[in-house]
Amino acid sequence: MAKRIYILNGPNLNLLGKRQPDIYGHETLDDVTAACRKVAGEVEIRAEQSNFEGGLVELIHEAREDGLGIAINAGAYTHTSVAIMDALNTFEGPVMEVHISNVHKRESFRHHSYISLRADGIIVGCGTQGYELAVQRILRMTGQG
Ligand code: CA2
């Protein structure tokens, strides 16, 4: 079975490019997916967004079957979700954590991440380009790039 890279986005990220462009930029999630597909070339991208913690957990379970790697921006669940961290701990491939904004320049509650306890790499404050960088890194880590 051909493996694919999962790009998972958490709550409110469906609004990307439509609200708060000063923080999150002008690109939409569709723009992000298109840019990641260019970077991934022949490797398939499965891009999903969920506003629900359990929805993200289920997508991570799916990735256990056919995921080459996971790039995840868990949104605010980054700072609260043991369930998402536990699910990521059951995934065997590389996990890249992405944050569009530089969370370390922001409120202190954004400085702690449960995802970082599992992530192989973290990309913070690179805008939406961070997703492309994460895909590149997954390709390199899996010997495809
Ligand atoms: O910087 C990031 O990527 C964040 O993961 C974004 C989360 C925030 O809770 C994290 O601390 C940092 C918020 C996502 C909200 O997404 C929106 C996108 C566009 C417009 C409004 C919200």
Side-chain angles (χ1 to χ4, degrees):
M1 187 203 305
K3 290 205 160 189
R4 36 199 192 165
I5 295 175
Y6 280 67
I7 299 178
L8 301 181
N9 278 287
N12 298 309
L13 283 156
N14 51 312
L15 298 177
L16 199 61
K18 298 170 186 160
R19 298 276 187 282
Q20 295 181 266
D22 47 320
I23 304 178
Y24 300 113
H26 290 279
E27 282 99 18
T28 65
L29 266 193
D30 284 348
D31 296 332
V32 167
T33 304
C36 287
R37 291 206 163 110
K38 271 195 186 167
V39 169
E42 302 280 285
V43 176
E44 194 187 324
I45 296 285
R46 167 107 197 260
E48 295 291 341
Q49 186 273 335
S50 177
N51 290 320
F52 301 94
E53 188 174 24
L56 292 165
V57 168
E58 287 186 347
L59 285 160
I60 294 163
H61 291 175
E62 250 188 64
R64 282 165 46 76
E65 305 299 317
D66 65 352
L68 186 63
I70 299 175
I72 183 165
N73 183 350
Y77 287 140
T78 301
H79 316 299
T80 62
S81 181
V82 175
I84 292 173
M85 176 190 69
D86 283 347
L88 288 170
N89 277 329
T90 73
F91 178 75
E92 288 178 2
V95 173
M96 292 297 296
E97 176 178 0
V98 178
H99 297 290
I100 299 164
S101 64
N102 180 355
V103 285
H104 299 291
K105 268 172 114 176
R106 302 181 67 191
E107 304 95 324
S108 60
F109 68 83
R110 296 187 202 274
H111 299 176
H112 177 264
S113 163
Y114 284 97
I115 311 299
S116 297
L117 296 171
R118 162 62 180 92
D120 296 292
I122 305 166
I123 298 167
V124 165
C126 295
T128 52
Q129 188 192 357
Y131 293 92
E132 295 165 57
L133 299 171
V135 168
Q136 252 176 15
R137 182 68 187 151
I138 289 168
L139 292 170
R140 175 71 63 89
M141 288 179 79
T142 54
Q144 329 249 337

